[in-house]
């Protein structure tokens, strides 16, 4: 898996997890998740865990009508 593929996969997973597009201020988080996943053999679970543990996910604002 190339870094470009892992980066794109991370961005797409973040869009789903955050319920919004990825913005320029999210890019350091994306790079951090990609680096961490690289150290762990680019495992899918490393991507998911990196996103779930990120500030962007932990501090996201829930809109009414969504969970």
């Amino acid at each position: 898996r190339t870094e470009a593929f892992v980066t794109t996969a991370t961005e797409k997973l973040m869009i789903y997890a955050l319920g919004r597009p990825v913005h320029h201020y999210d890019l350091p988080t994306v790079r951090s998740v990609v680096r961490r996943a690289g150290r762990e053999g680019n495992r899918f679970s490393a991507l998911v865990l990196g996103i779930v543990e990120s500030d962007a996910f932990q501090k996201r604002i829930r809109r009414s009508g969504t969970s």
Side-chain angles (χ1 to χ4, degrees):
R1 297 179 186 162
T2 66
E3 187 172 330
F5 174 82
V6 176
T7 299
T8 300
T10 302
E11 290 173 352
K12 299 299 182 185
L13 286 169
M14 282 190 70
I15 290 168
Y16 180 77
L18 299 175
R20 63 167 175 79
V22 173
H23 298 290
H24 66 90
Y25 50 81
D26 294 313
L27 296 182
T29 300
V30 171
R31 288 189 293 267
S32 175
V33 171
V34 169
R35 278 193 304 271
R36 175 182 174 171
R39 289 191 302 267
E40 297 182 23
N42 289 327
R43 295 176 52 177
F44 183 75
S45 60
L47 293 179
V48 173
L49 193 58
I51 291 168
V52 169
E53 291 179 346
S54 72
D55 283 343
F57 184 80
Q58 293 290 322
K59 297 178 181 176
R60 72 191 187 283
I61 298 172
R62 293 189 179 112
R63 297 180 186 162
S64 62
T66 61
S67 50

